[in-house]
Amino acid sequence: MSIDLTEDTITKEVQSTFDGCPDPRTRELFVELVRHLHDFARETRLTDDEWVTAMDFLARVGQVTTPTRQEFVLLSDILGLSVLVDLINEHHGPHATDSTLLGPFFEDERPRVPNGADISGGLPGTPMFVTGRVLGPGGDPLAGVAVDTWHSDGEGHYDVQQEDRLHGQPAMRALLTTDGDGRFWYRSIAPRFYPVPVDGPCGEIMQAAGRSAMRPEHLHFRLHADGYRPLITMLFRRDDPYLDHDAVFAVKRSLVVDFAEHGPGTAPDGTEVGEPFQTVDWTFTLTPAARERRP
Ligand code: BEZ
Ligand code: FE
């Protein structure tokens, strides 16, 4: 162990403390983390006060984090790290539906419902009819695919953000299964754009930067089929004002779709609707599980 370390020698010294790490990947991750952290401090000439502020910030991120309030994940989201990791790892191939973030509002506790079900939980809002089809890479319909969907209400709130109103009752989320023709369909209420949580330390960053905290209107999907890579994705409303300013950088052009507006009339499932309603129709394509990942 050297003493009298300098700005120029300390990085190698700290990196060498990982030489004995038996797992090569753990060693690589820490050696590179030290390199980038030290370079960051040197290049920005980080001051004592700034370092104290950063440590206090991270402590507060930890303090507000709970199983349902993932401020560390949100920090990763607003710094673009979550999407970067998804981009590095999730190559479903040129013909497959693009993936994007899971987000914090997926819940294991969700009702399994038959196709055609109304999953709104009785909440008020503009009726929305979603129809989807799931295909394999050759265009073959995939039957029996587990399709999770979840979304906000017309004021941008998920069910888990409405404890007082819903008392833990799930709404606007469900697990469906594709039929023999690869199709799934359900009724719900239309979602709306919403801000990511800004009442914690991440809100301070967004405010300091004068950044928008908004996420454009979207529906979440998670598709699981035997023999295929799981797909986590979202569909975004084409005419949403926040498409180009998503606070978490998750929008992909290929996932921007029409949320069609209709006057009162017949819905895609044959239901007569006495008020304006919306329809969303999309085809998802999955990749076989064995597909080689890009290096
Ligand atoms: C969401 O889409 O539900 C979401 C994703 C990242 C941060 C906050 C919300
Ligand atoms: Fe969302």
Side-chain angles (χ1 to χ4, degrees), residues 102-105 150-152 158 194 215 218 220 234:
L102 179 69
F105 297 121
W150 64 106
H151 63 84
S152 78
Y158 285 79
Y194 60 81
R215 296 228 55 221
H218 58 275
H220 291 265
M234 302 181 208

Side-chain angles (χ1 to χ4, degrees), residues 38-69:
H38 286 207
D39 280 347
F40 170 78
R42 273 187 291 262
E43 286 166 19
T44 60
R45 310 311 300 162
L46 194 68
T47 67
D48 283 330
D49 281 354
E50 288 162 348
W51 179 81
V52 168
T53 302
M55 293 302 109
D56 173 64
F57 177 85
L58 290 177
R60 289 187 294 115
V61 169
Q63 282 152 7
V64 303
T65 295
T66 67
T68 51
R69 173 68 191 266

